[in-house]
Amino acid sequence: MTNLLTAALPATAIVAPTPDLDLLPAGLTDLDTARISSAIAAARTESTRRLYALVWAQWERWCAARGIGALPADPLALCAYLTERAEAGKATGTLDMACTVIRHVHRTCGITDPVDSEAVRQVRRGLRRTHGAAPRRLARPLSVQEIRQIVGCIDRSTPIGIRDAAIILLGFASAMRRAELVALHLADVEHKPAGLLLTIRQSKTDQEGHGQSVAVAHGQHALTDPVAALNAWRAVRGDAPGALFTRIWATKVSLEPLSGHVPARMLRARAVAAGLDGTRITAHSLRAGHATTAALAGVPLHRIAAQTRHKDLTVLVNRYIRPLEALAHTSSKHLGL
């Protein structure tokens, strides 16, 4: 492993390189090395790198407490780690993430991957059978009536009320992810006669940043018109370049971008203030609400997928379409209960 690959590893996972392997080909400069390291580091997002570092640190601490080497890892040690964490109630997804990170570090270092061993394969299979996969607590989709109820309770005479209403209505109308909403810049919004055209520079399904466009039409009601709500926020925010949605200190609007957690906390708080149950209301409730409402309205699957930019249509079918069909056609309605 050369020092170039350390950019892809959690900081504590770096092993001493073999002198012969650490030599660069003749003609490569320090600037070339810096560029390559930068590109390798960019292969994963900052949030992914932080998650990998956290998961790797958990594995290292467990190994240190047992007096076991974390890198390279013994397959049986990994088996013990997985079974212990499963016994402690960790979800299958958590165990899978541990395996993903441990595999990544070993392969990047050019070391035999313990996750590929037959013992680890059998243990993982057995844990799935005995412990199962805990059902995901999906975000509750918000309906148009609930959106109307939420924004109707917001004081839109204040900067923060104007901003929050714009985030909620634009998030619902666009079906964008929360990370995409907070990553929008003023320059990413283009006004058209029919509404708005939003440019998403990078997203979960576009890691390489080719860019995607999302359209938002004018609303039919003044209270819930996403275009009017965004225009009202832009008038408060001003025309300075930078993030579209920014932080507000007291009543002073800054140019500091929002973190990805703000829309979720804000939406839940606004929903509770409007008299709704905040259980399972997250930022994803806007995106899920768009898909569910569109499906109820009879919008074809391909049009919903084009708006939400789902590459895997089974997600739309299994999470939004089939539950609606099940409720519409269930025989339990005819039992006379």
Side-chain angles (χ1 to χ4, degrees), residues 1-4 17-25:
M1 179 191 75
T2 72
N3 283 335
L4 295 175
T18 303
D20 290 342
L21 295 178
D22 199 38
L23 295 176
L24 293 173

Side-chain angles (χ1 to χ4, degrees), residues 1-318:
M1 179 191 75
T2 72
N3 283 335
L4 295 175
L5 290 180
T6 62
L9 296 172
T12 57
I14 298 173
V15 297
T18 303
D20 290 342
L21 295 178
D22 199 38
L23 295 176
L24 293 173
L28 291 187
T29 65
D30 290 341
L31 179 59
D32 293 323
T33 301
R35 287 170 177 163
I36 294 170
S37 296
S38 178
I40 291 173
R44 285 176 171 79
T45 64
E46 178 62 31
S47 60
T48 299
R49 291 197 295 272
R50 287 197 300 268
L51 175 61
Y52 275 34
L54 174 64
V55 174
W56 179 258
Q58 291 171 343
W59 163 246
E60 281 190 316
R61 286 196 297 270
W62 185 89
C63 289
R66 297 289 193 98
I68 299 172
L71 184 68
D74 186 288
L76 290 181
L78 179 54
C79 290
Y81 180 67
L82 295 175
T83 53
E84 180 180 299
R85 288 174 68 79
E87 185 85 10
K90 298 299 181 183
T92 303
T94 301
L95 304 183
D96 289 343
M97 175 54 69
C99 290
T100 297
V101 173
I102 292 170
R103 169 183 283 124
H104 165 71
V105 171
H106 281 74
R107 289 186 174 181
T108 302
C109 294
I111 300 171
T112 301
D113 176 13
V115 181
D116 274 345
S117 73
E118 187 60 26
V120 174
R121 284 201 194 100
Q122 294 293 339
V123 163
R124 296 178 72 187
R125 185 176 303 156
L127 291 176
R128 290 191 188 97
R129 289 175 61 89
T130 55
H131 293 270
R136 292 183 60 189
R137 289 176 56 82
L138 300 178
R140 179 165 75 82
L142 290 170
S143 67
V144 172
Q145 181 57 43
E146 290 172 324
I147 292 293
R148 188 173 289 114
Q149 182 175 338
I150 292 171
V151 297
C153 292
I154 296 177
D155 180 4
R156 292 162 82 168
S157 66
T158 64
I160 195 167
I162 295 171
R163 184 202 67 186
D164 289 357
I167 292 175
I168 291 170
L169 292 172
L170 189 68
F172 187 82
S174 66
M176 294 172 65
R177 301 174 178 88
R178 67 173 183 176
E180 297 166 350
L181 274 173
V182 298
L184 283 174
H185 282 220
L186 202 63
D188 298 329
V189 181
E190 184 178 358
H191 282 267
K192 297 289 185 181
L196 301 172
L197 197 60
L198 307 174
T199 298
I200 301 174
R201 304 184 185 192
Q202 193 172 45
S203 69
K204 180 180 178 180
T205 55
D206 180 28
Q207 294 287 339
E208 296 182 2
H210 296 296
Q212 298 171 311
S213 294
V214 171
V216 173
H218 290 285
Q220 301 175 24
H221 307 280
L223 178 66
T224 53
D225 182 356
V227 178
L230 185 62
N231 287 341
W233 164 244
R234 291 186 63 173
V236 172
R237 180 203 176 280
D239 296 326
L244 176 61
F245 294 114
T246 58
R247 290 184 177 274
I248 298 173
W249 305 107
T251 59
K252 184 178 180 182
V253 178
S254 74
L255 293 179
E256 184 181 345
L258 297 179
S259 70
H261 300 290
V262 172
R265 291 197 300 264
M266 178 273 293
L267 179 61
R268 185 179 297 108
R270 293 293 190 182
V272 171
L276 299 178
D277 181 1
T279 305
R280 294 196 300 116
I281 290 182
T282 71
H284 189 71
S285 295
L286 300 174
R287 179 173 165 85
H290 178 116
T292 302
T293 303
L296 276 170
V299 178
L301 181 61
H302 70 276
R303 285 184 56 196
I304 301 175
Q307 183 74 36
T308 60
R309 290 160 292 117
H310 275 104
K311 289 186 176 181
D312 185 359
L313 294 184
T314 60
V315 174
L316 277 177
V317 172
N318 292 330

